[in-house]
């Protein structure tokens, strides 16, 4: 079971804070450091000192880390044209020596678009599908050849399809709860399928949809990694769990029902349920208090050590 750290910097984090967490992620033996791709705080958070861009952040971290994988849950297709995004991600992959995973989604948070003057199209999913075709097409074009694409929303003519990523294939992560189009696109493009913040039973149903969609196009479902993102709130004592829940404005009972909360043993047992019921092999731990590095250390020592 891979454990990855997943952060939400739009809620309030500087680059220096993210760098500190990423270095702790690497030092403590986690598999990867991921971040969201948002420009506006949600809920009651003030978001100070203000948003950081996902791919600028990952570019910096690529040069400051050496082992962990780096990625997004998930990059919004509404923020960047596909050609530009393909260049950015390929460059960060090269800067990291081939350690990027590309989480990609259609985009959904309208308020951050209006706050920063970013168009929020009605046909987001159609654009998302075309972007997947363009980005993977650019990366997959052999060196020395050109790439062209004609779609309803994007047209590329004789692109040199450069730069190339360091990896032969950047892993693509697609996720969500859509019943038809999402499984179809995951079967076609994804290396990993992720369901965030759902029960093991709900995840099992969605994973099965993706497996059926893969079989329908002649793809072996075992080629995909199936993962979950879940909020983490772990403590060595009940008081420590309650303190960490209060720090992120949540209730312990709610976190135990909907996330990975409680003692290390309770969390290990919950992760085992995801593995048994849904077939999960990777978990993204949503860490909402980025100042609490002791939380990362406790999970590494008392949870990750039991998962092998």
């Amino acid at each position: 079971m891979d454990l990855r750290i997943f952060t939400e910097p739009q809620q309030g984090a500087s680059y220096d804070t993210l760098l500190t967490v990423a270095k702790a992620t690497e030092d403590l033996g986690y598999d990867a450091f991921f971040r969201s791709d948002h420009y506006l705080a949600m809920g009651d958070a003030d978001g100070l000192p203000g948003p950081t861009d996902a791919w600028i952040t990952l570019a910096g971290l690529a040069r400051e880390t050496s082992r962990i994988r780096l990625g997004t849950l998930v990059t919004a297709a509404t923020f960047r044209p596909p050609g530009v995004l393909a260049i950015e991600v390929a460059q960060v992959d090269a800067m990291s020596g081939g350690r990027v995973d590309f989480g990609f989604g259609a985009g959904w948070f309208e308020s951050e678009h209006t706050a920063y003057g970013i168009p929020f199209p009605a046909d987001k999913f159609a654009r998302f599908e075309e972007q997947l075709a363009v980005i993977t097409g650019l990366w997959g074009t052999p060196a020395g050849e050109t790439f062209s694409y004609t779609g309803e929303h994007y047209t590329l003519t004789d692109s040199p399809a450069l730069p190339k990523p360091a990896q032969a294939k950047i892993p693509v992560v697609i996720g969500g709860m859509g019943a038809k189009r999402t499984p179809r696109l995951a079967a076609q493009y994804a290396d990993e399928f992720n369901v965030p913040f759902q029960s093991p039973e709900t995840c099992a149903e969605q994973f099965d949809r993706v497996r059926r969609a893969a079989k329908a196009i002649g793809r072996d479902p075992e080629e995909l990694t199936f993962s979950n993102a879940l909020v983490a709130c772990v403590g060595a004592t009940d008081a420590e769990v309650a303190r960490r829940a209060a720090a992120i404005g949540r209730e312990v009972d709610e976190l135990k029902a909907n996330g990975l909360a409680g003692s290390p043993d309770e969390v290990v047992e919950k992760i085992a349920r995801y593995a048994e019921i849904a077939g999960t092999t990777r978990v993204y731990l949503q860490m909402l208090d980025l100042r609490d590095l002791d939380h990362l250390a406790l999970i590494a020592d008392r949870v990750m050590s039991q998962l092998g």
Side-chain angles (χ1 to χ4, degrees):
M1 179 69 69
D2 294 334
L3 291 187
R4 295 182 161 189
I5 297 302
F6 168 40
T7 62
E8 301 275 7
Q10 76 278 355
Q11 299 302 94
S14 67
Y15 172 76
D16 286 341
T17 297
L18 295 171
L19 175 60
T20 299
V21 175
K23 286 185 171 180
T25 297
E26 183 158 274
D27 292 344
L28 290 167
Y30 290 98
D31 182 61
F33 174 92
F34 271 58
R35 60 156 293 162
S36 59
D37 186 23
H38 285 295
Y39 292 131
L40 196 67
M42 302 172 197
D44 296 330
D46 58 26
L48 294 174
T52 51
D53 181 83
W55 287 101
I56 290 177
T57 296
L58 294 176
L61 298 181
R63 308 303 289 180
E64 298 281 357
T65 58
S66 60
R67 179 189 60 79
I68 51 173
R69 297 196 66 82
L70 302 167
T72 51
L73 276 184
V74 290
T75 291
T78 49
F79 287 169
R80 307 165 186 89
V84 172
L85 183 55
I87 291 169
E88 291 177 345
V89 178
Q91 183 178 3
V92 175
D93 192 54
M95 292 170 70
S96 70
R99 293 184 286 123
V100 161
D101 287 9
F102 179 53
F104 198 38
W108 62 271
F109 188 23
E110 185 173 4
S111 294
E112 67 186 335
H113 294 74
T114 57
Y116 285 97
I118 303 168
F120 189 70
D123 52 353
K124 294 185 299 300
F125 205 91
R127 291 172 182 268
F128 170 56
E129 184 167 359
E130 286 194 20
Q131 288 211 19
L132 276 167
V134 169
I135 292 167
T136 58
L138 287 167
W139 291 340
T141 298
E145 298 184 15
T146 61
F147 174 79
S148 297
Y149 177 87
T150 301
E152 182 179 352
H153 302 288
Y154 303 102
T155 299
L156 289 78
T157 304
D158 295 333
S159 171
L162 297 173
K164 296 303 181 194
Q167 299 175 87
K169 185 182 189 306
I170 291 179
V172 175
V173 184
I174 294 175
M177 287 301 297
K180 294 182 179 179
R181 293 186 297 180
T182 297
R184 174 176 60 80
L185 289 182
Q188 183 176 356
Y189 291 105
D191 299 279
E192 177 181 339
F193 186 76
N194 178 269
V195 171
F197 316 125
Q198 300 292 328
S199 70
E201 294 77 13
T202 299
C203 292
E205 294 174 1
Q206 185 68 341
F207 289 170
D208 284 345
R209 292 187 187 103
V210 174
R211 293 187 179 99
R212 290 194 298 270
K215 290 179 180 177
I217 63 171
R219 184 180 182 188
D220 183 355
E222 297 305 312
E223 294 178 2
L224 284 99
T225 296
F226 291 91
S227 65
N228 297 110
L230 295 160
V231 62
C233 182
V234 188
T237 64
D238 289 345
E240 193 169 72
V241 175
R243 174 177 62 79
R244 289 195 164 116
I248 60 174
R250 303 279 285 270
E251 297 293 331
V252 172
D253 289 346
E254 178 267 322
L255 287 168
K256 287 188 175 184
N258 299 311
L260 297 174
S263 70
D265 288 345
E266 286 179 288
V267 170
V268 169
E269 182 179 349
K270 185 74 172 284
I271 291 173
R273 289 189 61 220
Y274 278 90
E276 178 182 358
I277 295 171
T280 300
T281 60
R282 177 174 292 156
V283 173
Y284 293 82
L285 303 170
Q286 186 193 44
M287 310 300 291
L288 295 176
D289 184 356
L290 299 183
R291 300 164 300 179
D292 189 358
L293 298 182
D294 289 342
H295 195 191
L296 274 71
L298 174 69
I299 296 171
D301 182 49
R302 300 280 299 279
V303 175
M304 186 162 58
S305 61
Q306 294 190 57
L307 297 174

